[in-house]
Amino acid sequence: MAAKAKPQKVGICDTTLRDGHQSLLATRFSTADILEVASAMDEVGFAAVEVWGGATFDTCMRYLNEDPWDRLRKIRKTMPKTKLQMLLRGQNLVGYRHYSDDVVDEFIKRAVGNGIDVIRIFDALNDLRNYSRAMEAAKKEGAHVQAAIAYTISPIHSIDYFAEEAAKLRDMGADSICIKDMAGLLLPFSAEKLVRTIIARTGLPVQMHSHYTSGMASMSYLKGIEAGAAIVDCAMSSMALASSQPAAVSIIAALKDTPYDTGLDLNVFAPINERLKQIRKKYKAFDNTDPRIDANVLRYQMPGGMISNFISQLKDANALDKLQEVLDEVPRVREDMGYPPLVTPTSQIVGAQALLNVLLGQRYKMATNEVKAYFRGEYGMPPGAINEQIRRQVIGDDKVITCRPADNIKSSFAKARKEIGAWTDDNEDVLLYIMFPQIARPFLEQKMIQETHIEYDMIGVEQNAKGQDVEFGPV
Ligand code: CO
């Protein structure tokens, strides 16, 4: 008698502590609040938890005055059993422009050294050359390299296009493929085809990452799971849905006693969800979960965050009546630019230009610096052809680069280390400074003063004990 087929176990990756609060609460969770739930989450049995990278690195320092490296070390210590995952924007790391290769190497070395197991790497244009250095570095450091493909809809982007991209990423050394559906545009039946085709073409495990924005994500997961998806990204129910991920408990319950059973125990979720519900209340001012389902995402095929940004910017410009015009302008700008997927930083680049075109009443009368850089090829190769007439209108006779953009960026780590040398000799601090110089300077200055005071205090205490004069007291 033939052996019974072994049930395929689907894994759940929890994103609450990265994408969950990034999508719902402007990335404001403090390290203390994260640590409150981290050890209970460590007991669940998740395939991985995404806890770092994306916007968390920047906001940690910018708004919370916290050291993102320190956060990572604390999470690692609190979650010894679970694989920690981070989101990395390819050559942009966790910033908004390309960095030199030596900076990419150092950043990844430190991320893995401080506890990251899985590095999910993507590029806004799906330009393979922007993945390559980060993938090599992650491989070298022994991390699991997950290459993520930014999912979008355009005349260029077909199932075949994505599968071809996935196959090339496998050849570059990817250990798994993630379908990154940042806007919640992936429809259930497309998900099924996409997952099946990528698995057939690559033979690699496929992980699905969707946002609930359009109300589609859990249906897409189910179809993707039937087609063989190995892991799906979910969030704790009190931090799920709307622009966040589907709720883990719903997916776990839906798959129970099927060949796709996750094997996870639903009972352990209740206290964690309850705690997160309380924590979430603190961040009410940043809560942007209205509307729960954004039908405009499906109408306009752009991320919900982009539409709400337009509304607030148009309000500021006293031109809210122009919203429809802006929403209609986005696809035109996107076409001019060769159909980039709309994800950081291209969503901001396309959005800002569409807004300018409408507000100035003339297309490309003015262009942002980022749009100029984009047209010069500095972000990489767009998926489709660029409108040459518009390109010349925007950048004149400027040279267009066709090489890997980072090939034009000189090594910069040693120089930055020198620049910030008065305040730190720690390589992790230097990375903060390279990526966010304006906020890192005062942050490191303050950190140095605090550390110096601690040393002074210790000297003071010791001298007191010896009955000598206190040379330095607390300040
Ligand atoms: Co996401």
Side-chain angles (χ1 to χ4, degrees):
M1 209 172 83
K4 218 175 148 191
K6 229 176 153 192
Q8 173 202 352
K9 270 205 174 182
V10 170
I12 304 284
C13 168
D14 186 279
T15 58
T16 306
L17 304 178
R18 203 285 296 173
D19 212 350
H21 72 114
Q22 179 171 333
S23 298
L24 299 177
L25 306 170
T27 337
R28 291 306 206 281
F29 266 8
S30 70
T31 302
D33 284 334
I34 287 171
L35 295 178
E36 268 219 37
V37 289
S39 66
M41 285 177 67
D42 196 34
E43 302 295 332
V44 173
F46 289 122
V49 284
E50 189 169 281
V51 294
W52 206 66
T56 66
F57 195 91
D58 174 3
T59 41
C60 207
M61 192 169 44
R62 190 186 299 270
Y63 301 113
L64 307 172
N65 202 28
E66 287 186 11
D67 184 342
W69 297 105
D70 189 48
R71 169 180 292 187
L72 174 57
R73 281 187 288 272
K74 285 179 172 149
I75 294 174
R76 175 76 285 172
K77 221 175 138 196
T78 317
M79 305 185 93
K81 297 179 190 168
T82 312
K83 282 186 187 153
L84 299 186
Q85 179 175 304
M86 75 165 293
L87 179 68
L88 189 94
R89 303 181 187 121
Q91 200 79 23
N92 294 0
L93 301 175
V94 290
Y96 305 96
R97 61 179 181 85
H98 284 314
Y99 298 102
S100 57
D101 289 337
D102 60 334
V103 171
V104 172
D105 294 347
E106 186 65 27
F107 182 88
I108 288 171
K109 187 176 159 195
R110 299 285 160 164
V112 177
N114 281 303
I116 291 293
D117 300 295
V118 181
I119 306 192
R120 173 178 291 171
I121 303 170
F122 81 99
D123 175 63
L125 298 177
N126 290 321
D127 183 339
L128 298 166
R129 302 167 309 168
N130 294 337
Y131 291 76
S132 57
R133 188 67 176 217
M135 285 178 70
E136 281 164 28
K139 199 111 226 169
K140 191 172 150 233
E141 298 303 325
H144 175 108
V145 178
Q146 180 169 89
I149 302 170
Y151 180 78
T152 190
I153 296 171
S154 87
I156 304 288
H157 294 90
S158 60
I159 300 270
D160 216 52
Y161 172 98
F162 291 120
E164 195 52 38
E165 174 96 359
K168 286 175 187 157
L169 288 163
R170 175 205 54 202
D171 295 344
M172 288 163 66
D175 296 307
S176 61
I177 300 291
C178 170
I179 299 167
K180 182 178 163 62
D181 172 29
M182 55 278 170
L185 295 174
L186 183 58
L187 303 175
F189 291 92
S190 310
E192 181 184 19
K193 267 191 227 151
L194 186 59
V195 170
R196 181 166 293 136
T197 312
I198 292 178
I199 294 173
R201 192 78 69 87
T202 64
L204 292 179
V206 168
Q207 184 159 345
M208 298 177 76
H209 176 87
S210 271
H211 288 254
Y212 208 77
T213 331
S214 67
M216 224 41 78
S218 44
M219 289 188 265
S220 303
Y221 279 7
L222 193 57
K223 296 302 280 181
I225 287 167
E226 284 183 323
I231 303 178
V232 289
D233 283 4
C234 296
M236 289 289 166
S237 54
S238 44
M239 287 291 289
L241 310 187
S243 51
S244 174
Q245 268 74 57
V249 286
S250 318
I251 302 289
I252 293 165
L255 300 178
K256 196 163 168 48
D257 297 329
T258 74
Y260 313 106
D261 201 322
T262 63
L264 298 184
D265 177 6
L266 282 175
N267 295 315
V268 301
F269 285 84
I272 307 170
N273 277 322
E274 193 46 46
R275 191 68 212 111
L276 279 165
K277 203 169 127 191
Q278 300 307 322
I279 290 173
R280 185 171 173 170
K281 285 182 186 159
K282 294 193 210 171
Y283 300 93
K284 222 174 169 171
F286 302 105
D287 204 316
N288 55 13
T289 46
D290 185 36
R292 300 277 172 82
I293 299 295
D294 192 344
N296 284 332
V297 166
L298 293 171
R299 274 177 77 199
Y300 300 108
Q301 301 183 338
M302 62 183 87
M306 244 180 117
I307 302 171
S308 46
N309 266 346
F310 286 143
I311 294 173
S312 81
Q313 283 165 320
L314 286 168
K315 254 186 206 157
D316 289 347
N318 230 343
L320 199 51
D321 57 314
K322 296 257 190 348
L323 179 62
Q324 191 58 49
E325 277 179 65
V326 175
L327 293 174
D328 293 337
E329 177 64 3
V330 170
R332 285 194 289 262
V333 171
R334 205 174 155 226
E335 186 181 352
D336 296 337
M337 293 187 175
Y339 298 106
L342 297 175
V343 63
T344 301
T346 41
S347 50
Q348 291 86 340
I349 295 173
V350 170
Q353 191 60 48
L355 200 68
L356 271 182
N357 288 357
V358 169
L359 287 179
L360 298 177
Q362 191 188 329
R363 307 191 75 220
Y364 301 99
K365 187 177 180 184
M366 253 174 72
T368 64
N369 286 334
E370 287 76 20
V371 167
K372 288 178 190 163
Y374 183 96
F375 277 122
R376 283 193 299 263
E378 288 168 23
Y379 286 91
M381 183 89 79
I386 277 188
N387 180 328
E388 282 305 328
Q389 200 191 332
I390 302 282
R391 166 141 60 192
R392 286 303 150 202
Q393 190 185 333
V394 171
I395 62 167
D397 291 333
D398 285 5
K399 200 173 160 247
V400 176
I401 63 161
T402 53
C403 64
R404 183 182 75 112
D407 285 342
N408 291 341
I409 305 174
K410 280 194 204 118
S411 296
S412 58
F413 193 83
K415 187 172 160 258
R417 211 184 135 90
K418 221 181 215 170
E419 273 172 26
I420 198 77
W423 292 329
T424 184
D425 58 358
D426 183 308
N427 282 0
E428 283 160 11
D429 289 343
V430 178
L431 288 163
L432 295 178
Y433 172 67
I434 291 171
M435 277 182 280
F436 304 103
Q438 263 107 22
I439 47 172
R441 258 178 200 274
F443 178 81
L444 293 174
E445 192 176 15
Q446 195 190 358
K447 190 172 139 182
M448 188 194 75
I449 293 167
Q450 276 168 358
E451 279 171 7
T452 317
H453 282 182
I454 292 165
E455 274 175 15
Y456 287 173
D457 290 350
M458 283 166 64
I459 294 168
V461 170
E462 199 188 20
Q463 289 179 332
N464 252 347
K466 285 178 187 164
Q468 294 166 335
D469 286 348
V470 178
E471 203 176 346
F472 303 103
V475 178

